[in-house]
Amino acid sequence: VQTVLETPRLILRELVHEDAAPLAGILSDPETMQFYPAPYDRQGVVDWIERNRRRYAEYGVSLWALVLKTSRELIGDCGIIPQHVDGELLYEIGYHLRRDFWHQGLATEAAIACRSWGFAHLPVHRMISLIRPQNVPSRRVAERNGMTIWKEVEWRGLPHCVYSITREHADRLTASPSQGSRASR
Ligand SMILES: CC(C)(COP(=O)(O)OP(=O)(O)OC[C@H]1O[C@@H](n2cnc3c(N)ncnc32)[C@H](O)[C@@H]1OP(=O)(O)O)[C@@H](O)C(=O)NCCC(=O)NCCS
């Protein structure tokens, strides 16, 4: 399976149909999916993998599997999803992590890597994250990824914050990481 990128603790690779069982441990967990309309059932997980594989073929990006280097387990997903927001095609950084791996900075590590990868490989001016206002952990990951709230939109029938980072701002963070979120807190 194709590896897309690597961070100190994680490998990001394309999702395959065989990932359905470990993914269900994430996408079918009610607490992990509390900000979604409902957790995915078995068929929902299979369809979700298929949608991601179609986006790899069409756009070259989508959510990728997060594999922990130490154990080789799939513990989540993170990647770049093309989304139509307010009639504009934008590239969103998304992430879901298995609950027993929360609070270790793993989602932040993956999201920052996806941001760098996106600006290096896609001709985009900005990248976004679409987040329900109540989803504090996800908002913290977006902030750690250098993003700020750009606007608020109704998306798939629910209010969402559109977090955003422009290429110029991302370049400045890369050139001078001390300006990054951790140091400026
Ligand atoms: C969002 C998610 C991926 C974050 O994963 P994570 O690896 O635990 O995130 P990090 O360890 O990088 O932590 C990010 C920040 O959020 C904070 N945070 C994490 N969980 C929190 C919680 N339940 N309540 C408040 N803050 C929380 C962390 O403390 C950290 O900030 P801090 O160090 O400044 O305090 C994970 O919570 C998850 O899978 N959530 C469910 C799926 C989801 O909603 N995805 C996003 C859809 S938009």
Side-chain angles (χ1 to χ4, degrees), residues 56-107:
Y56 303 146
E58 187 173 348
Y59 297 97
V61 292
S62 195
L63 293 167
W64 296 302
L66 292 183
V67 176
L68 195 64
K69 283 184 183 173
T70 50
S71 64
R72 299 271 145 189
E73 279 177 289
L74 185 158
I75 60 159
D77 64 77
C78 182
I80 302 171
I81 316 158
Q83 303 279 20
H84 289 275
V85 182
D86 273 354
E88 189 182 2
L89 178 68
L90 295 166
Y91 285 79
E92 181 198 17
I93 298 175
Y95 29 76
H96 308 87
L97 199 69
R98 210 172 84 193
R99 196 144 43 90
D100 48 326
F101 287 95
W102 289 3
H103 303 296
Q104 300 178 31
L106 286 163

Side-chain angles (χ1 to χ4, degrees), residues 1-4 12-17 19 23 48-66 74 76-82 91 117 122:
V1 185
Q2 203 178 328
T3 295
V4 179
L12 281 73
R13 62 148 173 84
E14 292 194 351
L15 289 155
V16 293
H17 297 291
D19 293 326
L23 264 178
W48 187 88
I49 294 173
E50 187 49 38
R51 283 199 299 281
N52 282 296
R53 294 199 54 82
R54 258 187 262 131
R55 283 190 291 251
Y56 303 146
E58 187 173 348
Y59 297 97
V61 292
S62 195
L63 293 167
W64 296 302
L66 292 183
L74 185 158
D77 64 77
C78 182
I80 302 171
I81 316 158
Y91 285 79
W117 190 97
L122 303 168

Side-chain angles (χ1 to χ4, degrees), residues 32 36 95 97 102-105 107-108 135 137-138 140 144 185:
T32 302
Y36 288 77
Y95 29 76
L97 199 69
W102 289 3
H103 303 296
Q104 300 178 31
T108 298
N135 193 346
S138 180
R140 294 291 299 124
R144 289 261 186 90
R185 280 193 297 151

Side-chain angles (χ1 to χ4, degrees), residues 151-172:
K151 56 183 175 177
E152 292 176 35
V153 297
E154 194 83 358
W155 189 71
R156 295 185 177 163
L158 294 166
H160 280 77
C161 301
V162 186
Y163 276 84
S164 159
I165 182 166
T166 61
R167 179 181 288 276
E168 292 70 38
H169 185 59
D171 286 347
R172 280 200 300 276

Side-chain angles (χ1 to χ4, degrees), residues 11 32 38 40 44 68 106 109 116 126 132 145 151 156:
I11 288 168
T32 302
Y40 288 99
L68 195 64
L106 286 163
E109 184 172 314
S116 303
R126 71 167 78 242
R132 301 273 305 278
N145 199 11
K151 56 183 175 177
R156 295 185 177 163

